[in-house]
Amino acid sequence: MRVVAILVAVAAAAVFLVVSPSATAAGAWPSVRQGAGGPDVVTVQYLLRHHGHGIPADGDFGPVTASAVTAFQSARGLVADGVVGPQTWPYLIVPVRQGSTGEAVRAAQTQLNKHGAGLAVDGRFGSVTDGAVRAYQSAHGLAVDGLVGPQTWQSLLGGGSGPAPGGHALPLARGALPRAAYGAPHWNGNPAVDLMVSYVPAYAITSGTVDHYDSASCGIGIRLLQPDGSRFVYCHLSARSVAEGASVSAGTRLATTGDTGNSGDPHLHVEIRTADGVARCPQRYLLAIYDGGTPPALTSLPTSGCTVG
Ligand SMILES: [Zn+2]
């Protein structure tokens, strides 16, 4: 998922959390709503057109655009509030790269022009658009791959405020558990990890949007939502430290661990779920963070047999 561009040496002495800083100029997803205008509105409209909503891309967020947004949200089980914000953007954006054509390319070209690219908004992703994407990525500390994927979309739309994407931290203070605890399989073989601690701070593994999540089995939980729809799930908490909808960076304290839900003994249960809802083994991901490396792509993680050899 995220590419950590630069891993700087962390002064190890009194550091409890290992955060891998990245040079990425970030961006929070903007909230675009009825009454708005400008390139972000045009971008919303092109992306809605890509998803089959036949509205004009006129830069005017009026009732027609609002009802298309509401329909788009309803069809995906989102809160149908007509606002294109952090919950809706990850579903609306479309990855485009050289060879792509159509409305989603127009959306990307509109964003690049917002940042001074001066492209023809023609829906054809050729070498000129590719060059503009790479120049933008290079100037903003992103992986220079020519792909307008979730990270580049968020940067283009965000305009430089909000927590930086990239960077990782262990979910617990470094001294809380030995390395082996992060590589142990879940007790019942499920794709998850149980970190056996009592009542201690829990931290954001990476940046994301906080979703308060409670269920009979999870107890008091938090889902840390990623721009591509994947999420990190924390269960059995005793208390949360962050508000619903908060944008956090890696290492932000999210909660105090505990013993709520179907727990048995106090511990932190951590899951990783990709955008398709499938749970993935977190072990290799967490060990990479423990070791100060770059974690693997979430989609590369196995879905069963979570043993780390
Ligand atoms: Zn568990």
Side-chain angles (χ1 to χ4, degrees):
M1 42 165 273
R2 304 194 183 292
V3 176
V4 178
I6 298 172
L7 186 65
V8 301
V10 176
V15 176
F16 291 130
L17 296 168
V18 173
V19 178
S20 319
S22 121
T24 301
W29 297 107
S31 285
V32 184
R33 65 189 77 227
Q34 192 161 347
D40 288 356
V41 171
V42 178
T43 299
V44 165
Q45 292 170 328
Y46 279 133
L47 289 169
L48 286 166
R49 289 168 62 86
H50 169 89
H51 290 287
H53 298 270
I55 59 168
D58 59 5
D60 175 15
F61 198 133
V64 173
T65 299
S67 69
V69 170
T70 304
F72 178 86
Q73 291 170 323
S74 296
R76 283 155 188 83
L78 304 169
V79 176
D81 58 6
V83 178
V84 181
Q87 302 301 313
T88 301
W89 279 113
Y91 292 87
L92 192 60
I93 58 166
V94 178
V96 289
R97 66 186 329 154
Q98 190 157 5
S100 301
T101 58
E103 301 298 295
V105 173
R106 288 193 173 90
Q109 290 169 329
T110 300
Q111 284 299 309
L112 289 159
N113 285 350
K114 187 178 84 176
H115 293 277
L119 299 168
V121 180
D122 60 5
R124 292 202 303 273
F125 199 130
S127 57
V128 177
T129 301
D130 181 69
V133 171
R134 289 172 191 270
Y136 178 87
Q137 290 173 326
S138 177
H140 291 79
L142 300 163
V144 181
D145 57 8
L147 170 68
V148 184
Q151 194 177 25
T152 297
W153 271 116
Q154 188 170 19
S155 177
L156 285 165
L157 284 157
S161 62
H168 296 87
L170 289 171
L172 298 169
R174 170 156 285 261
L177 289 173
R179 182 182 187 278
Y182 294 97
H186 195 255
W187 67 274
N188 61 358
N190 283 355
V193 68
D194 281 337
L195 301 171
M196 303 311 292
V197 289
S198 55
Y199 292 78
V200 300
Y203 301 99
I205 292 169
T206 188
S207 58
T209 303
V210 171
D211 176 34
H212 288 186
Y213 172 73
D214 298 320
S215 76
S217 57
C218 185
I220 298 173
I222 281 181
R223 294 194 292 196
L224 185 59
L225 308 176
Q226 302 299 295
D228 70 352
S230 57
R231 58 264 192 193
F232 298 83
V233 186
Y234 298 68
C235 288
H236 315 309
L237 307 171
S238 57
R240 287 183 283 246
S241 319
V242 282
E244 170 78 18
S247 251
V248 298
S249 51
T252 300
R253 182 172 179 173
L254 297 180
T256 303
T257 61
D259 196 21
T260 57
N262 184 9
S263 174
D265 288 302
H267 73 285
L268 176 64
H269 171 103
V270 175
E271 286 180 17
I272 293 175
R273 288 185 185 267
T274 37
D276 52 11
V278 173
R280 306 268 176 176
C281 298
Q283 283 81 0
R284 276 205 294 135
Y285 197 92
L286 295 174
L287 286 171
I289 298 171
Y290 192 95
D291 293 336
T294 300
L298 297 184
T299 50
S300 75
L301 297 171
T303 57
S304 63
C306 303
T307 315
V308 175

